Amino acid sequence: MLVPGDRVAVDGFLATVRFVGEIPNWPNETAIGIEWDVPERGKNDGSINGTRYFSTLHGTKSASFVKLSKLQPRRSVMDAMVYRYASDESLANESASLIDHFDLTIGTKKVESYGFEKLSRLQADFRNLETVTLERLNVAVSSPIDSSLHNLQVLDLGFNLLDWPNLMQIVLQLPNLHTLKANGNRWTRFQGCEPCLSVHTLHLSACDLGNCEYTPKLLSCFPRLQHLHVASNNLSHIEVCRLELLDLSDNSFALLTDAPRAKRLNLSYNDLHIPSLTDSSLQIIEELDLCNTAVSEWSEIDNLAQLRSLTSLRILNTPLLDSIDYDSAISQIFARIPSLVKLDGTVYTTKHRDNFELYFISKVRSKEWKCPQPLWMSLCAKHGLLTEESTPARHLPTPTRVEVVFNDSRFSATLFSSATVGKLRGKISRKLGLSVLEFQLYAQLGHDTEHLANDQQTVAALGLASPVQVKLQPWESGLRQQPYWIKSGVAH
């Protein structure tokens, strides 16, 4: 019989049981009060005509009452294995449950029901499996795991109906399991169990951990974790030991300092800012994802410079980058973070960095950009420049301003001499909303037209120091559009 806290599925949607009993609407029939994982499916807050039967966690319209007959059947983990992976169709559709036992002991019901031939073939199928996906199969019950599954290394039990005790009973029977995916479940119960020492990668995204009182205890069951994925859990705080990778995307963290420490830290889709970073433990961070966060000030980027090990950063779709040309942003970011090598997925060389820093110096000297005094002193010393405004302009780079004209519209961008044709192509693609596969580039050089087919060719090699025109021509198989022309010259 169901009790509050149990997990159920109705029409393919998951919910948590909050009430079991009678309601006036359905006399002499058991009603199941549920709170949906997707709150928008609800119709009430657990009350009917002023009488409250249960309370909800996710709003006044996240609950419903359903009849027992509406609930979908629940499976054991071995039933789900047979359903998903049995090669013999008649065996997969066998009506007898495998919940009792799944072994070859002579005299058991399973041997009598299936016979040695079918069971041997099934075990042979399972023995070859290293990765198993049982997502959305209404798995609610543990069961003895057959020894043929001991080679299993990756198990996906996402969006099922398991409670934590049953999940751990399954995991502890798989000695070689190193990756467990249990996304989309809800953990309403906890009981002590021996720790799982084999699992080092754990996925618990969309498990509503922010409203789960057992979250610290759940994570303590895996003391050898290296990679933890807990996206979309409404978390503003979580306690874990230092990790190799920690995915906290789409949660409720307000500051970078609120997050646990990890070498690779994903905080994208959090409404957070970057305060001054004085905690030495933050030096562990090597890769940081801040896409779609609230970062809006260059002082926040200056704060990131305190992370001496930071080599990779993602920061697209932030107010800061939305307010400036992306190429200009690259120059500022690299100039302000000395350890950075990779930005938004692109690796930049030492030569790129020198160009970015020199361009940054030129912009600060012209008073278009601001720079903290310690950084200014450091950059000038690195490039052998005087810190006074009288530094000769010949020491600073001369970028190329590229103007793209399309019909009556136009846009311009700055390109450094180290930029490639591929970089130019990508810039046009993003600006005009075209795939890079939909057009070709042609440069008009005097009376000759050169097809720019080599994306690795540098901008400097095209002779852009002199005014030239570059034409964008759609491929025959691409979209039919008017040609685009690019005019280039030296920026002043």
Side-chain angles (χ1 to χ4, degrees):
M1 183 62 182
L2 291 172
V3 296
D6 282 347
R7 300 279 292 156
V8 293
V10 182
D11 297 330
F13 291 89
L14 306 184
T16 300
V17 174
R18 302 293 187 202
F19 168 82
V20 179
E22 291 189 5
I23 58 176
N25 306 54
W26 302 330
N28 302 318
E29 188 167 359
T30 300
I32 310 297
I34 60 174
E35 183 168 12
W36 298 97
D37 289 7
V38 180
E40 292 76 15
R41 290 190 58 81
K43 296 181 179 179
N44 56 60
D45 63 349
S47 61
I48 301 176
N49 298 326
T51 301
R52 176 164 300 284
Y53 294 90
F54 62 92
S55 297
T56 58
L57 296 176
H58 299 101
T60 59
K61 291 289 186 179
S62 61
S64 297
F65 290 88
V66 298
K67 296 181 179 180
L68 195 60
S69 59
K70 294 287 291 183
L71 304 183
Q72 294 176 234
R74 295 146 63 93
R75 288 189 175 99
S76 75
V77 66
M78 289 310 302
D79 283 335
M81 280 293 304
V82 173
Y83 176 84
R84 177 61 59 83
Y85 290 99
S87 60
D88 188 318
E89 185 174 345
S90 63
L91 182 59
N93 294 328
E94 184 70 52
S95 59
S97 174
L98 299 178
I99 192 173
D100 308 329
H101 257 300
F102 199 85
D103 56 46
L104 291 177
T105 305
I106 296 177
T108 65
K109 292 167 59 179
K110 297 315 154 197
V111 171
E112 294 172 357
S113 174
Y114 293 110
F116 283 108
E117 183 180 350
K118 282 186 177 181
L119 281 172
S120 296
R121 185 164 64 255
L122 183 59
Q123 284 195 320
D125 289 344
F126 287 179
R127 194 169 287 112
N128 295 324
L129 292 174
E130 294 183 353
T131 299
V132 163
T133 299
L134 302 178
E135 187 176 289
R136 299 184 187 275
L137 290 182
N138 295 343
V139 178
V141 183
S142 174
S143 59
I145 302 293
D146 185 69
S147 61
S148 62
L149 285 171
H150 284 185
N151 292 326
L152 193 61
Q153 298 178 28
V154 180
L155 175 60
D156 187 346
L157 288 167
F159 297 91
N160 278 296
L161 308 176
L162 289 160
D163 59 20
W164 192 261
N166 273 303
L167 176 71
M168 292 304 298
Q169 288 175 23
I170 294 170
V171 169
L172 291 170
Q173 295 181 73
L174 300 170
N176 292 304
L177 187 70
H178 61 67
T179 299
L180 174 63
K181 299 180 180 181
N183 302 323
N185 288 278
R186 297 288 188 272
W187 314 113
T188 59
R189 303 186 183 95
F190 179 84
Q191 66 184 40
C193 63
E194 66 176 284
C196 175
L197 302 180
S198 63
V199 169
H200 59 66
T201 300
L202 180 62
H203 295 252
L204 293 178
S205 297
C207 290
D208 199 27
L209 294 180
N211 290 305
C212 177
E213 60 181 299
Y214 308 114
T215 297
K217 294 180 179 179
L218 306 183
L219 299 178
S220 70
C221 293
F222 300 94
R224 295 185 178 175
L225 273 187
Q226 298 177 28
H227 301 165
L228 177 61
H229 301 259
V230 285
S232 305
N233 272 296
N234 195 31
L235 290 166
S236 58
H237 175 76
I238 187 172
E239 294 183 8
V240 293
C241 297
R242 291 189 179 188
L243 299 168
E244 182 73 24
L245 181 151
L246 178 58
D247 180 2
L248 293 171
S249 58
D250 190 26
N251 276 293
S252 300
F253 287 88
L255 297 172
L256 174 59
T257 47
D258 294 337
R261 310 325 181 207
K263 287 186 178 180
R264 296 154 58 194
L265 181 60
N266 185 348
L267 283 166
S268 60
Y269 292 93
N270 281 272
D271 191 21
L272 63 71
H273 288 278
I274 306 166
S276 180
L277 307 176
T278 57
D279 187 345
S280 61
S281 67
L282 289 166
Q283 298 302 326
I284 190 178
I285 301 176
E286 297 177 3
E287 300 180 16
L288 182 60
D289 191 336
L290 296 175
C291 292
N292 295 279
T293 59
V295 175
S296 58
E297 303 292 337
W298 285 111
S299 60
E300 298 183 71
I301 303 301
D302 292 332
N303 290 336
L304 286 179
Q306 300 169 51
L307 302 178
R308 304 302 182 188
S309 299
L310 183 64
T311 58
S312 177
L313 175 67
R314 289 182 178 273
I315 198 169
L316 291 172
N317 299 322
T318 56
L320 181 63
L321 260 68
D322 290 344
S323 67
I324 189 173
D325 174 76
Y326 185 69
D327 284 295
S328 297
I330 293 177
S331 297
Q332 292 223 45
I333 291 170
F334 268 91
R336 293 173 184 272
I337 307 178
S339 58
L340 202 62
V341 174
K342 187 176 182 180
L343 179 63
D344 294 323
T346 299
V347 175
Y348 293 90
T349 65
T350 301
K351 185 176 181 180
H352 289 135
R353 168 173 285 282
D354 288 344
N355 281 329
F356 296 150
E357 290 176 346
L358 288 169
Y359 182 63
F360 178 77
I361 290 173
S362 70
K363 287 293 188 180
V364 174
R365 194 175 299 287
S366 66
K367 302 188 182 303
E368 295 178 63
W369 295 349
K370 295 182 179 180
C371 175
Q373 187 64 19
L375 175 61
W376 174 250
M377 300 294 289
S378 174
L379 289 173
C380 288
K382 175 181 176 180
H383 294 282
L385 300 173
L386 299 176
T387 57
E388 292 79 11
E389 295 184 7
S390 58
T391 303
R394 59 184 173 82
H395 287 284
L396 302 177
T398 305
T400 298
R401 178 68 61 181
V402 178
E403 186 177 69
V404 181
V405 181
F406 170 46
N407 294 340
D408 296 328
S409 62
R410 63 182 61 203
F411 73 91
S412 60
T414 300
L415 288 178
F416 294 98
S417 60
S418 58
T420 62
V421 171
K423 178 77 173 178
L424 177 60
R425 189 191 305 275
K427 182 183 297 292
I428 296 168
S429 169
R430 289 190 298 271
K431 195 71 177 181
L432 299 177
L434 293 174
S435 166
V436 293
L437 302 177
E438 291 178 335
F439 59 84
Q440 307 172 80
L441 292 177
Y442 291 90
Q444 190 71 38
L445 302 175
H447 297 291
D448 299 324
T449 301
E450 181 181 350
H451 181 203
L452 305 182
N454 182 6
D455 281 350
Q456 301 305 313
Q457 187 178 29
T458 62
V459 170
L462 300 177
L464 290 183
S466 301
V468 300
Q469 290 185 331
V470 179
K471 177 181 178 182
L472 279 68
Q473 178 65 51
W475 289 94
E476 290 301 319
S477 58
L479 295 177
R480 300 288 181 176
Q481 303 205 29
Q482 294 297 319
Y484 308 105
W485 290 86
I486 298 179
K487 299 179 179 179
S488 289
V490 177
H492 297 289

